[in-house]
Amino acid sequence: MTVTLAGCAGASGSGDVTLRVVAAEYGTNSEDSSRNYWESVASSFQADNPGIKIDINIRPWKTIDSDVARMVEEGKAPDIAQVGSYSHYAKDDKLYAADDLLSVPTQANFLDQLSEAGEVNRIQYGMPFIASTRLLFYNKELFASAGVSAPKDWDDIKSAAEALKADGVTTPFALPLGTEEAQGEALMWLLSGGGGVTDNADGSYSIDSPANVATFTWLRKNLVGAGLTGPVAPGKLDRATAFKAFTSGQVGMLNGHPTLMKDAVKRGIKVGMVPLPAEDGPAKSSVGVADWVMAFKQNGHREEIGSFLDYAYEDRNVLSFAGQYDLLPVTYSANEAMLADPEHQDVKTFLTALPESELFPYGKNSWSQVSESFKKNIGRAVERGQSPGAVLGQIARDASAAEASE
């Protein structure tokens, strides 16, 4: 139905339509910019749909959520936004449901775990765009020089970091708790400490739980306070800066995703990867991260949006983006194709970890505000003179206020 209607929209004389697409930048330079991908998809789509023009606006990850929020507030919402969260817009009835946009085969092809994470009140508004999981990365050459092996638990992380520091490594363990993606780094550690952002029993926030406080107390004392996290304070260190330092050979270990593996290998870094260590062995689950596509109602281009998204979610396009950045596809058919392709065996560990990973509570309307509170505050939890419990308590109060305002 969607395909038929959208096809008519481009050829029935109903008038030219321009779809404004705002998408995040995954690349690091003009050669690997996300713009190249989106413009290629848009160009081929436009060739088959002459009545629909695609206008691409690429924004940096650090500002894209606030950029889109500002556009919405100014009454200039894009037709499609590829960002980090969606639920608060769904709450305000600003989004089309996936049912209203996608053909049945396209929507049914999403991984179940991700489709469910895209729901608000059991209606899917967030359409997964790309996914990833997290592993602990380490520089094999630096580890060999320091005479240490891959860590299996927190004590191993500490002892390896001490050996790396003694061997002259600038940043034994990079801990990026800056505003770029502090919520992601925080959740990795909370899960490895036996806690998390929410209580699995009822889905309520459990941010300042005893397990979470203990985790950040350990980090402050054993890594940050011991001078093992490098010259930049974790609260000032963004993920992109930490990743760049790793690919430059200045970092012994850090938590990373598949794109980092590709960039490091390209720079000649011999990379080791292990499951995230926990207090007494490998963590039971890793962090699963999904980035989302959402479609705004404001401009009334439902049929044209559906036509473009059906096209964008074809295997060739999903695999093109995932393959370029060594990320994980979000559809069953593309996952099967990637697992079977010898060229993508380097991400097999991440693909197999995805079903067991724990996602952020994307479907909670309050999550965008809670995520912002993590970005703003969590870096202080490891600073000297600060109380991890007090900082986590502040974020918990912000979460309660966000929940109450729903």
Side-chain angles (χ1 to χ4, degrees):
M1 177 71 75
T2 302
V3 172
T4 302
L5 289 171
C8 292
S12 65
S14 59
D16 290 344
V17 167
T18 296
L19 297 181
R20 294 174 54 235
V21 178
V22 177
E25 177 61 88
Y26 289 75
T28 58
N29 54 57
S30 59
E31 293 182 1
D32 69 352
S33 172
S34 300
R35 177 174 296 280
N36 301 328
Y37 166 81
W38 282 105
E39 289 186 346
S40 175
V41 172
S43 177
S44 55
F45 174 80
Q46 288 170 162
D48 294 334
N49 298 270
I52 307 174
K53 178 181 178 182
I54 310 297
D55 177 65
I56 305 296
N57 181 358
I58 303 298
R59 308 298 302 168
W61 263 118
K62 195 166 185 176
T63 65
I64 188 167
D65 286 316
S66 58
D67 290 342
V68 171
R70 185 180 64 255
M71 294 174 192
V72 173
E73 289 173 3
E74 294 174 351
K76 301 175 182 178
D79 295 284
I80 298 169
Q82 182 266 299
V83 293
S85 62
Y86 63 85
S87 59
H88 53 302
Y89 295 115
K91 172 196 171 186
D92 294 336
D93 195 31
K94 295 182 181 295
L95 303 180
Y96 288 115
D99 288 345
D100 296 329
L101 299 168
L102 303 176
S103 66
V104 171
T106 298
Q107 191 173 3
N109 199 23
F110 290 136
L111 297 172
D112 286 345
Q113 177 194 27
L114 299 178
S115 288
E116 292 172 5
E119 293 179 355
V120 175
N121 297 326
R122 299 191 177 184
I123 298 174
Q124 185 179 1
Y125 294 94
M127 293 159 280
F129 175 68
I130 204 73
S132 67
T133 54
R134 301 293 191 257
L135 297 174
L136 179 71
F137 284 56
Y138 65 96
N139 184 313
K140 288 184 174 181
E141 291 184 341
L142 294 181
F143 266 58
S145 177
V148 291
S149 56
K152 298 178 181 178
D153 56 30
W154 286 358
D155 286 341
D156 288 349
I157 288 179
K158 180 182 178 182
S159 59
E162 290 170 340
L164 290 163
K165 182 177 181 179
D167 203 40
V169 175
T170 304
T171 304
F173 194 105
L175 185 65
L177 294 174
T179 58
E180 182 184 359
E181 207 206 15
Q183 80 283 9
E185 184 72 18
L187 182 55
M188 294 178 225
W189 284 100
L190 297 181
L191 289 174
S192 68
V197 172
T198 58
D199 187 319
N200 290 331
D202 61 7
S204 62
Y205 286 113
S206 57
I207 294 166
D208 58 347
S209 69
N212 291 346
V213 173
T215 293
F216 271 85
T217 299
W218 187 92
L219 281 172
R220 188 188 64 170
K221 177 182 177 181
N222 293 281
L223 292 186
V224 182
L228 301 176
T229 53
V232 180
K236 302 293 184 182
L237 181 64
D238 280 341
R239 179 185 61 178
T241 303
F243 281 11
K244 184 176 181 180
F246 183 81
T247 61
S248 300
Q250 302 173 45
V251 173
M253 51 186 156
L254 79 173
N255 295 324
H257 56 54
T259 302
L260 176 61
M261 174 185 61
K262 178 180 179 180
D263 292 343
V265 171
K266 190 183 299 183
R267 295 289 298 273
I269 303 297
K270 294 183 178 180
V271 180
M273 297 178 293
V274 295
L276 298 179
E279 190 169 10
D280 55 0
K284 294 180 180 179
S285 63
S286 180
V287 173
V289 177
D291 300 329
W292 302 94
V293 168
M294 56 186 173
F296 286 93
K297 294 180 178 179
Q298 179 180 304
N299 303 313
H301 297 149
R302 180 180 66 83
E303 295 171 4
E304 293 85 356
I305 292 170
S307 179
F308 179 67
L309 291 179
D310 273 333
Y311 183 84
Y313 279 113
E314 291 180 5
D315 277 359
R316 57 177 172 169
N317 294 321
V318 173
L319 287 167
S320 173
F321 192 90
Q324 179 178 351
Y325 297 105
D326 271 338
L327 291 169
L328 309 181
V330 296
T331 63
Y332 284 106
S333 57
N335 262 269
E336 291 168 1
M338 182 171 276
L339 280 169
D341 188 343
E343 291 187 9
H344 295 298
Q345 291 306 295
D346 52 354
V347 298
K348 189 173 182 178
T349 303
F350 294 94
L351 281 167
T352 54
L354 182 59
E356 303 301 324
S357 63
E358 183 164 330
L359 297 167
F360 295 116
Y362 294 110
K364 291 176 76 68
N365 294 335
S366 57
W367 172 240
S368 62
Q369 295 170 264
V370 177
S371 177
E372 286 301 314
S373 183
F374 266 103
K375 292 179 181 181
K376 178 182 177 181
N377 295 302
I378 196 61
R380 293 188 292 109
V382 294
E383 291 178 1
R384 179 180 299 177
Q386 294 285 343
S387 164
V391 174
L392 288 166
Q394 175 62 60
I395 300 172
R397 288 191 293 277
D398 290 344
S400 295
E403 289 269 87
S405 65
E406 291 184 5

